Amino acid sequence: MMTYYWPVMSEEQALRCLQQGNFGMELASPQVTDWSCVYNPKQGTLLFNMRDDLSEVYFLNVYEELRK
């Protein structure tokens, strides 16, 4: 994980860093759903993904959702 760590990272870099730290360890159960999430409070954006699959990264703008 530390090889992917930088003092300042974009949301995508931070998500990749979390993935490297979380996966590679054995999971206790195949029913466990793991996810990684990066929140940028300044922009109000949220990036998340399930398991170790970075091919499907979900994006949410919290500020836009609150205006609805």
Side-chain angles (χ1 to χ4, degrees):
M1 177 175 153
M2 294 308 290
T3 58
Y4 289 87
Y5 173 79
W6 297 96
V8 177
M9 293 186 264
S10 69
E11 288 91 348
E12 292 83 8
Q13 289 171 318
L15 193 60
R16 185 170 303 283
C17 184
L18 286 172
Q19 290 291 290
Q20 293 300 320
N22 190 29
F23 296 96
M25 298 181 288
E26 290 296 319
L27 298 176
S29 168
Q31 287 80 29
V32 175
T33 300
D34 289 313
W35 52 275
S36 295
C37 177
V38 175
Y39 175 62
N40 182 333
K42 185 175 182 180
Q43 296 179 352
T45 56
L46 184 73
L47 285 177
F48 64 97
N49 70 307
M50 305 300 286
R51 301 298 239 177
D52 60 347
D53 183 11
L54 286 171
S55 66
E56 286 193 55
V57 176
Y58 302 96
F59 174 83
L60 177 70
N61 186 319
V62 177
Y63 297 142
E64 286 181 10
E65 291 298 319
L66 289 173
R67 281 186 235 147
K68 291 182 179 180

